[in-house]
């Protein structure tokens, strides 16, 4: 009687462990799919792939401009902010080009190097842009990214999804997939050993 209870409990534990392993594998595959349709296209479509050194030539704050908070937004979501324009000397080619914060900055407003998030307090936006401009004037030389193909003549300060960020995004689903496979293998080994012991 006790032996039957132990066998039943062992089978239940193996079933739960097997479901856990299969669930981990399924979740990891969903994460792979989500990363593949969201992050990977942004990474592969970016033309600013080569890192170089940029030297600030001038950093000016122009009059306020209007920019929508997102594409297709309503009029009430359009907010004014000071337009910061940073021009740098591209070490790789010696050209004078305009610097943008990220790829998204160029799409949102090609006239400004920095596009702030929508804030209720315009003084905070102005103070932040002035701080960024002073930092550019203080740190004259810094790494930046340019397009080696020449389709884009401007440069960006940082990529939205760099190589390290992409690898980090794939790290967690890979660990989950490996753990799920390991659990399934251990359960199968346990079942095989149980059957072998029963035959003996």
């Amino acid at each position: 009687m006790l032996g039957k209870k132990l066998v039943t409990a062992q089978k239940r534990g193996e079933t739960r462990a097997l479901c856990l392993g299969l669930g981990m594998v399924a979740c990891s595959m969903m994460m792979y799919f989500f990363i593949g349709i969201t992050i990977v296209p942004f990474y592969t479509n970016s033309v600013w792939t080569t890192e170089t050194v940029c030297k600030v030539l001038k950093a000016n704050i122009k009059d306020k401009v209007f920019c929508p908070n997102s594409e297709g937004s309503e009029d009430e979501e359009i907010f004014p902010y000071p337009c910061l324009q940073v021009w740098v000397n591209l070490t790789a080619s010696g050209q004078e080009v305009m610097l943008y914060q990220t790829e998204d900055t160029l799409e949102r407003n090609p006239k400004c190097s920095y596009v702030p998030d929508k804030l209720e307090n315009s003084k905070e936006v102005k103070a932040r842009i002035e701080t960024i401009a002073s930092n550019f004037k203080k740190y004259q030389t810094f790494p930046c990214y340019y397009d080696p193909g020449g389709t884009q003549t401007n440069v960006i300060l940082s990529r939205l999804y760099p190589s390290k960020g992409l690898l980090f995004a794939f790290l967690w689903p890979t660990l989950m997939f490996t753990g799920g496979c390991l659990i399934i293998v251990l359960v199968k080994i346990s079942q095989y050993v149980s059957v072998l012991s029963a035959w003996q």
Side-chain angles (χ1 to χ4, degrees), residues 52-138:
T52 185
V53 177
C54 289
K55 184 178 181 181
V56 176
L57 297 176
K58 53 185 176 180
N60 302 324
I61 298 178
K62 302 293 183 179
D63 295 334
K64 286 187 177 181
V65 296
F66 290 86
C67 180
N69 192 33
S70 59
E71 293 184 2
S73 58
E74 300 295 334
D75 293 339
E76 60 268 14
E77 293 184 352
I78 297 178
F79 63 101
Y81 61 92
C83 183
L84 172 64
Q85 293 182 346
V86 180
W87 293 87
V88 298
N89 184 8
L90 187 60
T91 306
S93 61
Q95 295 178 334
E96 180 180 343
V97 296
M98 189 169 178
L99 174 73
Y100 296 93
Q101 184 185 12
T102 61
E103 301 95 329
D104 184 59
T105 306
L106 179 62
E107 293 180 1
R108 294 180 64 183
N109 190 354
K111 295 181 180 180
C112 304
S113 298
Y114 173 75
V115 177
D117 296 328
K118 185 178 181 181
L119 297 176
E120 298 296 334
N121 192 349
S122 59
K123 293 182 179 179
E124 294 181 5
V125 176
K126 182 179 179 181
R128 180 181 299 179
I129 292 177
E130 290 177 350
T131 302
I132 294 173
S134 62
N135 288 335
F136 276 119
K137 294 176 182 178
K138 182 179 180 181

Side-chain angles (χ1 to χ4, degrees), residues 2 25 50-51 56 61 66 81 119 127 131 139 169 177 194 196:
L2 182 60
V25 171
T50 306
E51 184 176 352
V56 176
I61 298 178
F66 290 86
Y81 61 92
L119 297 176
T131 302
Y139 303 101
F177 180 80
S194 298
L196 188 63

